[in-house]
Amino acid sequence: MTRAVSAVMAGLLCALAGLRHAASLRADEARLRRWGTILERLSVILREQADPLPTVLRQAADADAAPDRLLHRMAALMQAKPLITMQDIFSSLCEPCIEHDVLTRMFAGLGRGTLENRLLATTQAASEISLMTNQAAQRAAKDAKLWQTLGWTGGACLTLLLL
């Protein structure tokens, strides 16, 4: 009895690993898509208004996704510690992710310079994020189903082997 339960548990863990990896591929795509939307809004807001950067970041982040929460935390930290650069604030708050380098460069350009330099930094980052989003969407469409299938198939095979 214990052997059968252990075999089924091992199979379910294998299936869960496949489902988890598929979900992470889809989450990467969704996060990148949200960053693209935020960067487009950020560019428009910068172009139209002369508000301080913390206010601009809060206006661009209008949803409850991880990128939006990150921008709100950045805005709060910028107001609390105005001598720290945007790039350093972003690096300290952002967890490692595939878009980290692009956004670090963008916040370095956004934190200093003229309005044209800030707009250039956001548009360049938006175009890079757009490319990354397309790649992530293709990878998620192709590989997420593969990982789900591998997880379930591997789990079933492992269960049968252990029984």
Side-chain angles (χ1 to χ4, degrees), residues 18-130:
L19 292 174
R20 185 174 180 189
H21 191 68
S24 101
L25 289 172
R26 290 187 185 107
D28 286 346
E29 177 194 1
R31 190 182 63 250
L32 285 169
R33 196 169 303 283
R34 182 62 192 150
W35 271 117
T37 304
I38 287 174
L39 294 179
E40 288 174 11
R41 291 195 64 199
L42 186 62
S43 181
V44 169
I45 292 169
L46 282 172
R47 195 173 282 120
E48 292 178 352
Q49 299 175 357
D51 289 335
L53 284 174
T55 305
V56 170
L57 293 179
R58 284 190 180 104
Q59 289 173 349
D62 63 343
D64 190 35
D68 298 278
R69 290 188 298 270
L70 175 66
L71 289 182
H72 282 286
R73 288 194 318 265
M74 283 182 66
L77 196 56
M78 286 172 65
Q79 289 179 325
K81 299 179 180 181
L83 297 179
I84 300 176
T85 65
M86 286 185 76
Q87 181 180 6
D88 292 339
I89 290 172
F90 174 75
S91 294
S92 69
L93 294 177
C94 184
E95 299 173 4
C97 54
I98 56 178
E99 68 271 15
H100 189 273
D101 292 338
V102 172
L103 294 173
T104 300
R105 283 192 307 272
M106 185 207 57
F107 283 117
L110 194 61
R112 64 180 184 275
T114 64
L115 177 61
E116 290 79 26
N117 290 343
R118 291 176 178 182
L119 289 172
L120 181 63
T122 56
T123 54
Q124 285 176 345
S127 65
E128 287 184 61
I129 293 288
S130 175

